[in-house]
């Protein structure tokens, strides 16, 4: 199959996308026209396009064109560990599995070697935008940004900041705060907004357990003064929450630790938020803080089950995160599946009768809501004219229960893409109309 590598181009396919207005667009005979600048010039029913546009299109029917997935939370250096560590609690998992792997990136040549494959793995899973953590090493972060720039993925990355219990044996502890801030500032200067805004920087204090009050505050100040994002973890696991209580005895709860540091706001993405109190949730709503919901990770490490309907009803902006390798798989589709099952299990166990999120609701969380969480919804997250052409195309034959069995309706189609997701189903991915390496590597 000859798929376009660069814009302009037009693809005729089945279309499935959430819309800004709140509904979902499904066209069994759809057309997406991408202009020279890599923006969507038309997305809709093929019969509504003009004859010339239709004639120029590559016909991929019955393949399905969708917006690329937005992964709001991942750890680049942990990809090699993906799929191992089941049921090891968070703090033990960090110590035994994760910190040693991250420490290996003290050798920047390892980051240089792995980073291109890592971005290809995200693209292969259908992810076109990723917000991710690196390691504490600036040179490895540089290598990761260079790989993202060359690959074409839309990426917001950050060097991990830790000045308590860090895994780095070399840096003199008394100099960590200053050094980490300076390295982050240098990376921001070089990469925040690079590649015409395709790359961005997120100031990344790991979580309250690994950071002093000073580091949290200074990192938040750095993010605010440079316009970078600020990302960290919150309220993931009961042992972690207990540890935060011990380390920050003056704070009434976990969210308050970040609040006092000046860390909350619309450019902040907090991963997990599984066990929030009413007060914590209300404060996140009030400040416009965003949440990366990571149900696959939360089940894998036994952290807990977020009562998803609650933050959604409260008006929090929630997207989805793979949290590899706390989560076992880089695919946002498999995150949706874990999330859907987790909510069902929660309903059965608690007698909670709130409506379960349906397949199209999960699609929205994994695309448009993720984009909204990053403040990028004017540019990405749905197939609508004027947005950047961040697209994926899926061959639904990979999820058909029997050859020739097709889903006519969009709910059935999305349901199979979630509950029967196949690692090879994404056949191509584009960012701004430029095709990404990664999908269909296995033929
Ligand atoms: Zn994480």
């Amino acid at each position: 199959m000859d798929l376009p590598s660069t814009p302009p181009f037009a693809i005729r396919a089945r279309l499935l996308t959430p819309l800004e207005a709140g509904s979902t667009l499904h066209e069994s005979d759809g057309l997406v026209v991408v202009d020279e600048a890599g923006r969507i010039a038309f997305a809709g029913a093929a019969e509504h396009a003009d004859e010339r546009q239709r004639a120029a299109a590559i016909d991929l029917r019955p393949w399905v064109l969708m917006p690329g997935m937005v992964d709001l939370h991942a750890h680049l250096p942990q990809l090699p560990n993906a799929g191992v560590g089941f049921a090891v609690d968070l703090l033990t998992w960090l110590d035994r599995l994760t910190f040693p792997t991250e420490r290996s990136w003290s050798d920047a040549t390892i980051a240089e070697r792995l980073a291109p494959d890592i971005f290809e793995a995200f693209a292969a899973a259908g992810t076109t935008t990723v917000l991710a953590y690196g390691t504490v090493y600036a040179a490895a972060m540089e290598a990761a940004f260079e790989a993202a720039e060359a690959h074409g993925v839309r990426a917001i990355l950050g060097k991990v900041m830790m000045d308590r219990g860090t895994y780095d044996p070399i840096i003199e502890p008394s100099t960590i705060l200053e050094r980490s801030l300076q390295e982050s500032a240098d990376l921001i200067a070089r990469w925040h907004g690079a590649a015409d805004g395709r790359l961005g920087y997120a100031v990344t204090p790991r979580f309250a357990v690994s950071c002093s009050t000073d580091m949290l505050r200074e990192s938040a100040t750095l993010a605010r003064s440079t316009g970078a994002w600020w990302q960290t973890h919150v309220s993931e696991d009961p042992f972690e929450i207990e540890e935060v209580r011990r380390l920050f005895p003056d704070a009434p709860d976990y969210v308050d630790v970040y609040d006092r540091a000046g860390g909350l706001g619309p450019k902040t993405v907090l991963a997990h938020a599984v066990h929030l109190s009413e007060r914590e949730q209300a404060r996140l709503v009030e400040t416009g803080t965003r949440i990366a919901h990571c149900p696959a990770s939360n089940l894998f490490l036994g952290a807990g089950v977020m009562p998803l309907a609650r933050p959604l009803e409260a008006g929090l902006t929630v997207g989805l995160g793979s949290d590899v390798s706390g989560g076992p798989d880089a695919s946002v589709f498999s995150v949706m599946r874990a999330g859907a099952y987790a909510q069902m299990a929660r309903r059965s166990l608690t007698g909670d009768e709130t409506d379960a999120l349906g397949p199209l609701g999960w699609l929205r969380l994994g695309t448009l809501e993720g984009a909204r969480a990053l403040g990028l919804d004017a540019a990405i997250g749905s197939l609508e004219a004027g947005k950047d052409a961040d697209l994926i195309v899926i061959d639904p034959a990979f999820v058909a229960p029997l050859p020739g069995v097709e889903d006519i309706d969009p709910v059935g189609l999305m349901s199979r893409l979630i509950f029967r997701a196949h690692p090879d189903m994404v056949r191509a991915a584009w960012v701004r109309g430029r095709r990404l390496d990664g999908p269909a590597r296995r033929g």
Side-chain angles (χ1 to χ4, degrees), residues 73-75 78 93 133 233 236 271-272 323-324:
H73 184 65
H75 296 263
Q78 296 177 20
W93 172 85
Y133 294 46
H233 300 84
E236 175 178 0
H272 304 300
D323 192 26
V324 273

Side-chain angles (χ1 to χ4, degrees), residues 116-166:
D117 288 344
I118 290 167
F119 291 119
E120 287 188 23
F122 281 110
T127 295
T128 53
T129 296
V130 61
L131 171 63
Y133 294 46
T135 65
V136 298
Y137 305 108
M141 211 61 236
E142 194 72 40
F145 269 112
E146 280 169 14
E149 183 179 40
H151 177 257
V153 67
R154 195 182 291 272
I156 300 165
L157 311 175
K159 182 192 100 77
V160 171
M161 307 172 82
M162 303 166 72
D163 64 348
R164 176 154 55 196
T166 180

Side-chain angles (χ1 to χ4, degrees), residues 125-348:
T127 295
T128 53
T129 296
V130 61
L131 171 63
Y133 294 46
T135 65
V136 298
Y137 305 108
M141 211 61 236
E142 194 72 40
F145 269 112
E146 280 169 14
E149 183 179 40
H151 177 257
V153 67
R154 195 182 291 272
I156 300 165
L157 311 175
K159 182 192 100 77
V160 171
M161 307 172 82
M162 303 166 72
D163 64 348
R164 176 154 55 196
T166 180
Y167 50 77
D168 180 83
I170 299 163
I171 304 170
E172 161 57 32
S174 65
T175 66
I176 288 182
L177 174 60
E178 202 180 323
R179 177 171 168 167
S180 186
L181 285 166
Q182 187 56 54
E183 288 173 343
S184 300
D186 291 347
L187 285 161
I188 290 169
R190 190 149 30 224
W191 293 107
H192 186 57
D196 205 12
R198 179 166 58 78
L199 302 177
Y201 196 86
V203 179
T204 307
R206 184 174 208 112
F207 67 154
V209 176
S210 328
C211 297
S212 66
T213 305
D214 284 350
M215 177 161 271
L216 292 172
R217 193 187 55 243
E218 294 298 320
S219 68
T221 302
L222 176 64
R224 233 191 345 264
S225 67
T226 55
W229 283 269
W230 194 77
Q231 63 174 345
T232 189
H233 300 84
V234 75
S235 197
E236 175 178 0
D237 165 284
F239 297 112
E240 169 217 19
I241 294 167
E242 198 47 51
E243 187 63 4
V244 171
R245 199 170 289 142
R246 191 180 68 78
L247 292 167
F248 299 87
D250 295 343
D253 53 44
Y254 200 157
V255 162
D256 187 66
V257 173
Y258 297 144
D259 201 353
R260 288 171 186 220
L264 305 184
K267 283 211 107 173
T268 290
V269 179
L270 301 180
H272 304 300
V274 175
H275 308 281
L276 296 182
S277 68
E278 288 294 335
R279 195 212 75 82
E280 288 177 297
Q281 179 172 283
R283 186 63 187 144
L284 296 181
V285 172
E286 198 173 32
T287 53
T289 304
R290 320 311 209 193
I291 297 299
H293 176 40
C294 308
S297 167
N298 299 151
L299 290 181
F300 195 72
L301 298 183
V305 175
M306 178 206 263
L308 178 61
R310 217 182 64 158
L312 293 180
E313 274 163 20
L316 267 177
T317 303
V318 178
L320 299 178
S322 66
D323 192 26
V324 273
S325 65
D329 191 351
S331 165
V332 171
F333 293 94
S334 69
V335 173
M336 293 174 185
R337 177 170 49 201
Y341 282 142
Q343 293 308 312
M344 271 314 194
R346 193 179 174 282
R347 278 158 54 98
S348 314

Side-chain angles (χ1 to χ4, degrees), residues 309-394:
R310 217 182 64 158
L312 293 180
E313 274 163 20
L316 267 177
T317 303
V318 178
L320 299 178
S322 66
D323 192 26
V324 273
S325 65
D329 191 351
S331 165
V332 171
F333 293 94
S334 69
V335 173
M336 293 174 185
R337 177 170 49 201
Y341 282 142
Q343 293 308 312
M344 271 314 194
R346 193 179 174 282
R347 278 158 54 98
S348 314
L349 293 170
T350 63
D352 182 350
E353 296 198 343
T354 47
D355 287 344
L357 199 63
L360 299 179
W362 285 103
L363 170 64
R364 180 170 285 268
L365 285 194
T367 53
L368 194 50
E369 289 303 306
R372 241 161 46 84
L374 295 170
L376 296 178
D377 47 312
I380 57 168
S382 58
L383 305 182
E384 294 184 80
K387 289 198 175 188
D388 287 359
D390 287 22
L391 323 167
I392 57 173
V393 67
I394 289 177

